[in-house]
Amino acid sequence: MEQILALRPFIPARDHAHAQAFYQALGFARTHADPHIAILKQGSFSFILQNHYVREHAENTMFQMLVRNVDQWWADHVDTDALVAKFGVKPPKPPAMQEWGLKVGFIFDPSGVLLHVAEAPF
């Protein structure tokens, strides 16, 4: 039986170059780019940033990235003032314990996609 090697969401981008720069500012490395997509990776997690945008879809897209220590990841990768000034995004919400039991920080990208950076519960 063949095993799944990766599961990568397609994330919409209103401005493809601007969105790539945003995710690179969060510490993601671009491993591929062409006019249609960019693959961005951090650790074992990667996703495909598509050069396609539908507002209703983007603003209803969320993805979760689990890290071992969310406070440390946040300290290493999130400069709130710089993200807001350079990319025009809503101010990120720093990690806090959520009622559903995970410690999560919230970051909106320039297209309105919501990234949940959560501390792995295991």
Side-chain angles (χ1 to χ4, degrees), residues 11-113:
I11 302 300
R14 179 174 44 214
D15 179 326
H16 202 227
H18 189 66
Q20 287 178 63
F22 173 82
Y23 283 105
Q24 288 174 306
L26 289 177
F28 286 85
R30 186 177 57 205
T31 62
H32 171 84
D34 64 40
H36 307 286
I37 65 163
I39 298 174
L40 294 147
K41 182 175 183 174
Q42 190 174 131
S44 62
F45 174 79
S46 65
F47 66 93
I48 299 169
L49 187 68
Q50 57 183 332
N51 192 7
H52 180 74
Y53 176 76
V54 174
R55 181 178 175 204
E56 293 79 12
H57 172 69
E59 292 179 356
N60 193 42
T61 298
M62 296 179 273
F63 65 99
Q64 181 183 68
M65 184 174 71
L66 293 174
V67 297
R68 294 205 188 284
N69 182 326
V70 70
D71 293 316
Q72 187 63 56
W73 185 92
W74 200 269
D76 291 345
H77 299 286
V78 179
D79 180 338
T80 297
D81 294 337
L83 290 175
V84 170
K86 185 173 183 178
F87 299 103
V89 296
K90 297 177 187 177
K93 292 184 179 182
M97 186 57 72
Q98 302 302 310
E99 62 187 51
W100 56 85
L102 288 179
K103 190 171 189 179
V104 183
F106 299 96
I107 304 169
F108 281 97
D109 83 357
S111 301
V113 173

